[in-house]
Amino acid sequence: MLIIKMLILLSGGLGCQRAGFFILQLIKVIKGYINLYRRLRMNNPFTLSFGKKPVQYISRIAQTERIIGDFTAEESPNQIYMITGVRGSGKTVMMTNIASEIRKRSDEWIVVELNPNRDLLQSLAAKIYAIPEMHAVFVKAKLDFSVFGLGVTVENAVPVTDIENVIEIMLSHIKRLGKRLLITIDEVINSENIKIFASSFQIFLREEYPIYLLMTGLYENIYDLQNEKSLTFLYRAPKIILEPLNYTAIKSHYMRIFDINDEMADKMTLLTRGYPFAFQVLGYLYWDNRKDHTLEDIMPEYDQYLDEYVYSKIWAELSSKDKEILSVISESGYQSVKDIREKLDMKPELFSVYRDRLKRKGVIDTRQYGKIAMALPRFEEYVKNRLYSVSYTHLRAHETAANL
């Protein structure tokens, strides 16, 4: 306010209209410097951590609203959703965000997160029992769950000795309270714990309990799980396959955070290809280096982060034929399905199987008819480097053997 008063005094001789314009322009300049100062003082708003919701988070609005809408509807059309996508596509963050939104409705919802590597039924019972409101209800009803280490023995009460029965009793009380239970499980695999839990969950659904399940997992893990003969109901469960982030949203975030022009924001956005982890990595590196390095300067470090955090794991999980297909795409630069297939000498039927699998794994983009492109940013460079590394290793081994 003091600065504004001084400006008014200084501009007093300029005339009313000119003085007003002069003051407005100076205020804009001052605000610009204040915002610049704040950006320089801020901690890096991007993160390299998986799972935790980052400060710069681009929400998948339509998919998030679809899940929350289905779960919270008076008559829920779906009580289970599975979120899948390539590593680093934001599965865990999206699940966490949905759970957080539903948790805000604490008068209607109970939200429990389970560890897929533990006994899920036992963990679920323990977590529900630990909720103060529910614990009070169980004590008042004189329910004896002591066999499972939940509470103490209740006099004149018959102990419940089956864990599935324990959860059914708990769910019946949750239903009487007019509440619903959301269970979240991150990175599911086709394990015995998951199979037992999913089978029990199917029973709870048939009994019309207000129970909901949100799971995340890599495509191959979810595919293996739903192929179990006793879990075919998972085939019918809706699956959210995470596609690339909205390019306009990425560009808008970069422009706002870095105060860069349209051309620079476009360049950075294209370097991410809409891949959520790449959006975070590029933003993180550019934030730390923007004063004394160009975008080109940070590319080696950008490649290294993508390699060490994600790409090496993705590559290790691919079959030899998957790798061969990706190698041909990277080395030849081909995008035509026909050219790639001929280079590999593969029949159309067989090639279609691998193409569809790589698409579901989030490695290739097949949205353009008759074309294939890498879905992940700079993955072509990663594959070429892998091929060079393998060739160099073989050459050195051959030279060593020749010298023996």
Side-chain angles (χ1 to χ4, degrees), residues 25-180:
Q25 293 305 308
L26 280 173
I27 289 173
K28 286 181 180 178
V29 171
I30 292 167
K31 284 183 176 179
Y33 278 111
I34 291 172
N35 288 334
L36 177 61
Y37 175 76
R38 285 174 177 169
R39 281 197 294 271
L40 292 173
R41 288 292 300 271
M42 278 174 60
N43 291 326
N44 196 320
F46 296 91
T47 182
L48 302 180
S49 301
F50 284 94
K52 180 182 177 182
K53 183 178 177 179
V55 175
Q56 291 305 311
Y57 173 61
I58 298 178
S59 176
R60 298 176 182 274
I61 299 172
Q63 294 165 318
T64 298
E65 289 183 349
R66 175 186 169 187
I67 294 173
I68 293 176
D70 279 4
F71 282 178
T72 59
E74 188 172 341
E75 294 292 333
S76 302
N78 296 298
Q79 288 178 247
I80 177 172
Y81 266 96
M82 293 188 282
I83 303 172
T84 185
V86 69
R87 292 183 185 278
S89 60
K91 300 183 296 295
T92 303
V93 173
M94 182 177 174
M95 182 190 75
T96 302
N97 187 49
I98 291 170
S100 178
E101 289 299 315
I102 290 181
R103 194 176 275 113
K104 292 175 183 177
R105 312 179 190 204
S106 56
D107 56 329
E108 301 174 10
W109 284 86
I110 294 170
V111 180
V112 172
E113 182 176 5
L114 299 181
N115 182 342
N117 298 311
R118 299 186 62 185
D119 183 327
L120 293 163
L121 293 177
Q122 179 78 33
S123 295
L124 178 59
K127 291 202 171 188
I128 295 174
Y129 193 84
I131 298 170
E133 180 186 5
M134 298 311 303
H135 179 264
V137 169
F138 301 147
V139 170
K140 186 177 180 180
K142 295 185 177 180
L143 295 169
D144 189 342
F145 302 143
S146 59
V147 171
F148 300 98
L150 306 175
V152 297
T153 303
V154 178
E155 189 176 354
N156 298 325
V158 178
V160 185
T161 57
D162 179 76
I163 191 62
E164 201 172 86
N165 194 20
V166 168
I167 295 173
E168 286 182 323
I169 292 170
M170 289 180 168
L171 288 172
S172 67
H173 282 278
I174 289 173
K175 188 174 184 178
R176 286 174 202 166
L177 291 172
K179 290 179 176 284
R180 302 182 186 190

Side-chain angles (χ1 to χ4, degrees), residues 196-232:
I196 291 171
F197 176 81
S199 296
S200 297
F201 184 85
Q202 188 175 12
I203 294 172
F204 302 149
L205 287 180
R206 286 202 298 266
E207 295 296 323
E208 298 187 353
Y209 288 120
I211 187 169
Y212 299 77
L213 179 61
L214 183 59
M215 300 191 294
T216 75
L218 297 174
Y219 160 74
E220 54 268 31
N221 293 335
I222 286 181
Y223 181 82
D224 288 345
L225 185 62
Q226 69 182 15
N227 271 342
E228 287 291 324
K229 291 182 180 179
S230 60
L231 303 178
T232 52

Side-chain angles (χ1 to χ4, degrees), residues 277-296:
F277 184 62
F279 165 66
Q280 293 293 332
V281 171
L282 188 61
Y284 183 90
L285 293 174
Y286 190 68
W287 177 273
D288 284 347
N289 295 279
R290 67 193 188 282
K291 294 179 186 177
D292 47 13
H293 290 85
T294 66
L295 194 59
E296 287 71 24

Side-chain angles (χ1 to χ4, degrees), residues 384-399:
K384 288 176 186 176
N385 288 336
R386 292 287 305 187
L387 293 174
Y388 173 79
S389 176
V390 170
S391 298
Y392 181 76
T393 302
H394 286 167
L395 178 62
R396 293 291 295 169
H398 180 73
E399 289 176 346

Side-chain angles (χ1 to χ4, degrees), residues 157-361:
V158 178
V160 185
T161 57
D162 179 76
I163 191 62
E164 201 172 86
N165 194 20
V166 168
I167 295 173
E168 286 182 323
I169 292 170
M170 289 180 168
L171 288 172
S172 67
H173 282 278
I174 289 173
K175 188 174 184 178
R176 286 174 202 166
L177 291 172
K179 290 179 176 284
R180 302 182 186 190
L181 173 66
L182 171 63
I183 300 164
T184 63
I185 309 175
D186 192 27
E187 295 296 349
V188 297
I189 57 174
N190 187 17
S191 67
E192 196 62 27
N193 284 334
I194 293 290
K195 286 189 285 187
I196 291 171
F197 176 81
S199 296
S200 297
F201 184 85
Q202 188 175 12
I203 294 172
F204 302 149
L205 287 180
R206 286 202 298 266
E207 295 296 323
E208 298 187 353
Y209 288 120
I211 187 169
Y212 299 77
L213 179 61
L214 183 59
M215 300 191 294
T216 75
L218 297 174
Y219 160 74
E220 54 268 31
N221 293 335
I222 286 181
Y223 181 82
D224 288 345
L225 185 62
Q226 69 182 15
N227 271 342
E228 287 291 324
K229 291 182 180 179
S230 60
L231 303 178
T232 52
F233 81 101
L234 292 177
Y235 260 121
R236 301 186 295 276
K239 296 166 191 65
I240 301 292
I241 301 174
L242 297 188
E243 301 288 347
L245 293 173
N246 182 281
Y247 273 42
T248 303
I250 294 176
K251 179 180 175 180
S252 175
H253 273 67
Y254 281 154
M255 289 184 75
R256 178 170 52 82
I257 294 298
F258 297 117
D259 193 24
I260 54 179
N261 60 32
D262 196 78
E263 183 181 353
M264 183 63 171
D266 271 330
K267 192 173 182 180
M268 291 182 69
T269 301
L270 290 172
L271 278 169
T272 70
R273 290 191 188 172
Y275 180 44
F277 184 62
F279 165 66
Q280 293 293 332
V281 171
L282 188 61
Y284 183 90
L285 293 174
Y286 190 68
W287 177 273
D288 284 347
N289 295 279
R290 67 193 188 282
K291 294 179 186 177
D292 47 13
H293 290 85
T294 66
L295 194 59
E296 287 71 24
D297 290 338
I298 65 175
M299 282 300 100
E301 197 171 358
Y302 180 54
D303 289 338
Q304 184 179 349
Y305 273 108
L306 292 175
D307 178 347
E308 293 180 359
Y309 278 72
V310 184
Y311 290 176
S312 59
K313 294 183 180 69
I314 292 174
W315 187 258
E317 292 163 352
L318 296 173
S319 71
S320 57
K321 183 59 71 173
D322 289 334
K323 293 175 181 177
E324 184 183 351
I325 293 170
L326 295 175
S327 298
V328 166
I329 296 172
S330 299
E331 281 190 303
S332 67
Y334 292 158
Q335 287 194 329
S336 163
V337 170
K338 182 175 180 292
D339 291 341
I340 296 167
R341 184 168 48 77
E342 288 178 352
K343 180 79 173 177
L344 290 161
D345 193 24
M346 291 179 70
K347 293 183 178 179
E349 299 79 12
L350 180 60
F351 183 77
S352 293
V353 172
Y354 283 98
R355 179 187 60 189
D356 291 345
R357 189 167 71 180
L358 287 169
K359 175 190 172 184
R360 291 192 183 97
K361 287 185 175 184

Side-chain angles (χ1 to χ4, degrees), residues 6-17:
M6 290 175 65
L7 291 172
I8 292 171
L9 290 172
L10 287 170
S11 59
L14 297 175
C16 185
Q17 186 174 359

